[in-house]
Amino acid sequence: MFHVPALPQEANAPGKHYEWQLSDGQQWLMINNDHIIECNYCQPGAKGITIDTDHGSLRIDFDDMTISGPFANLAVRRLSFMPENQTEDIGWYYRDNSHWCEYGVRGSSLSSQDIEQRYNGNPTGFFQFTFGSYTYKLDFSGMTQTNLSTYKQRKMRRRPKFNSIVYVNHSLNTSQQSTSTINQFPSATASANPSTRVTWEFMGDEGVWTEYQKPDSSLDSIDIERQYLRNPQGQLAFRAGRYSYCLYFNAGADMYQINNTYKTKRAIRRIEANESNSSSLCQACWQFKDMDGHWKDFVKGSGRGRCTISSQEIEALYQQNTSGVVPYSSGRFNYQLDLTAMTQTNLSTGTKRQVRRV
């Protein structure tokens, strides 16, 4: 029996629009570090995840939303907290002979948004669509796609896209593996002095992420984190050498700093890791070899040269499955990252590039 009070909705962390909870039959309890579960759940190829808790290991089945193992009597759920003018960006996928493919990516006449609209109208229904010379039936109850000519049936999955929301018809992308434990949501005091180690970094001249540290900067990671927790939408002025700068948090989406003299703009990022286990997840960096021959970090955001997944999120997935496949997008293109072959593939052009973990 767990003795942790249920999480009140208003305690949801700033900028976080989801929450995973477990129930012991009497109350729903939060799962600390549930971004690990979310990061895996958002990958269409993930069947489930095993998490370590204070009460033993639990296996969560993402398709059935059930718990297996010694604590199969527990229940699991995922909550979503969205303002009225926002909604989650949902992806719909079908299983081809070897991979999970998103509808609309490979020329399908039907997009994820089309299917989601139908699903919201009748989550237990079905409908038909035509692509090429074939007609297909999508069954939401069985989560299957059936070719009505050949009767070939394929599995379907509905998954949110990691930390991605739709706001007034535009996508905003917001931006880790450690041990998940059942715990009480931290109080405001605990949040102001977090037990997790948070690192703030900026993109340096050589394309290397560099931590804010004193005395080179008037602020360090602790100073920046305190201000960020007070106002995730705010700004923060600081000095480094003979120049003054301003940090723009933007609630985690497309964060950057501006040099007040030259107006130079640099990307910044926030990395969170448990102090008791700040291992390879913090240190490992994922990079791709760009067309200019230089290695570049996977940087999450909506700006030029950014994509829908970060180096830390790739590392979390790699820790779960070193031979997995990770879908993501950048600009108008969709890609597939093969963790075994260490390549990324542009699904539109077929172009492959090398990927490395450093």
Side-chain angles (χ1 to χ4, degrees):
M1 175 90 52
F2 304 121
H3 298 289
V4 182
L7 174 68
Q9 180 170 335
E10 61 270 20
N12 196 41
K16 180 182 171 187
H17 65 267
Y18 63 85
E19 184 160 285
W20 287 82
Q21 296 180 348
L22 291 175
S23 173
D24 60 357
Q26 297 183 9
Q27 57 184 340
W28 287 98
L29 312 168
M30 76 164 290
I31 305 174
N32 194 25
N33 296 326
D34 63 346
H35 60 277
I36 301 168
I37 304 175
E38 181 73 7
C39 185
N40 281 265
Y41 179 64
C42 292
Q43 305 307 314
K47 170 67 175 175
I49 187 174
T50 299
I51 61 174
D52 295 322
T53 74
D54 294 340
H55 303 272
S57 294
L58 309 176
R59 176 70 181 177
I60 300 175
D61 187 303
F62 290 148
D63 289 334
D64 301 330
M65 280 297 176
T66 56
I67 300 291
S68 60
F71 302 95
N73 59 318
L74 297 178
V76 63
R77 71 181 181 183
R78 177 187 183 273
L79 300 181
S80 179
F81 307 94
M82 303 297 297
E84 289 185 4
N85 62 341
Q86 297 180 3
T87 184
E88 289 185 300
D89 190 5
I90 301 295
W92 280 86
Y93 307 86
Y94 65 91
R95 172 79 177 184
D96 69 1
N97 296 330
S98 58
H99 299 103
W100 286 92
C101 306
E102 184 175 1
Y103 285 91
V105 171
R106 295 188 176 179
S108 169
S109 61
L110 200 65
S111 69
S112 289
Q113 291 75 20
D114 297 329
I115 302 174
E116 181 66 11
Q117 186 174 8
R118 296 266 192 164
Y119 176 81
N120 289 329
N122 185 4
T124 59
F126 65 89
F127 75 98
Q128 298 179 7
F129 75 100
T130 300
F131 179 56
S133 58
Y134 294 107
T135 299
Y136 299 86
K137 174 184 175 181
L138 300 190
D139 185 343
F140 295 138
S141 295
M143 292 299 283
T144 57
Q145 166 192 289
T146 304
N147 184 316
L148 297 182
S149 297
T150 65
Y151 296 101
K152 173 72 175 179
Q153 193 172 86
R154 299 185 185 276
K155 293 182 179 180
M156 292 195 311
R157 279 180 178 164
R158 174 184 183 265
R159 298 288 172 86
K161 298 185 178 181
F162 189 72
N163 265 12
S164 185
I165 62 175
V166 176
Y167 176 77
V168 195
N169 297 324
H170 293 283
S171 292
L172 296 177
N173 293 316
T174 65
S175 194
Q176 299 169 1
Q177 167 156 36
S178 57
T179 301
S180 298
T181 56
I182 299 174
N183 206 340
Q184 184 177 6
F185 192 86
S187 65
T189 302
S191 294
N193 297 282
S195 60
T196 54
R197 162 66 171 160
V198 174
T199 301
W200 284 86
E201 299 176 331
F202 65 92
M203 178 61 76
D205 290 329
E206 303 300 323
V208 177
W209 286 103
T210 306
E211 183 178 1
Y212 290 91
Q213 292 181 323
K214 297 176 179 177
D216 296 330
S217 166
S218 62
L219 299 175
D220 58 18
S221 291
I222 296 175
D223 299 326
I224 299 171
E225 178 66 8
R226 286 197 181 112
Q227 185 62 32
Y228 176 78
L229 291 172
R230 293 190 187 101
N231 183 11
Q233 294 281 4
Q235 304 171 13
L236 181 59
F238 73 101
R239 295 193 65 85
R242 57 194 178 93
Y243 296 109
S244 63
Y245 299 83
C246 188
L247 299 185
Y248 294 84
F249 295 132
N250 297 329
D254 194 22
M255 298 189 295
Y256 58 90
Q257 72 173 33
I258 293 285
N259 182 308
N260 293 331
T261 301
Y262 295 106
K263 306 303 178 184
T264 306
K265 182 177 178 180
R266 296 184 184 273
I268 65 174
R269 68 181 182 181
R270 177 182 184 267
I271 302 175
E272 181 178 333
N274 193 293
E275 284 184 333
S276 64
N277 188 31
S278 55
S279 58
S280 60
L281 183 60
C282 300
Q283 301 166 12
C285 178
W286 285 83
Q287 300 177 328
F288 64 93
K289 197 169 189 178
D290 206 353
M291 63 179 68
D292 60 8
H294 294 114
W295 289 97
K296 298 181 180 179
D297 290 357
F298 284 88
V299 179
K300 189 169 185 176
S302 56
R304 180 179 175 84
R306 301 193 177 196
C307 60
T308 56
I309 195 166
S310 68
S311 178
Q312 290 72 38
E313 291 163 7
I314 297 173
E315 178 64 15
L317 295 170
Y318 179 79
Q319 296 281 349
Q320 286 292 316
N321 182 9
T322 57
S323 59
V325 175
V326 181
Y328 69 96
S329 61
S330 178
R332 58 190 179 91
F333 293 109
N334 292 285
Y335 296 84
Q336 187 169 274
L337 175 59
D338 189 324
L339 300 180
T340 302
M342 296 298 278
T343 58
Q344 69 170 23
T345 302
N346 185 313
L347 297 180
S348 297
T349 66
T351 303
K352 287 183 181 289
R353 298 190 186 280
Q354 289 180 272
V355 170
R356 69 181 184 182
R357 178 177 181 263
V358 295

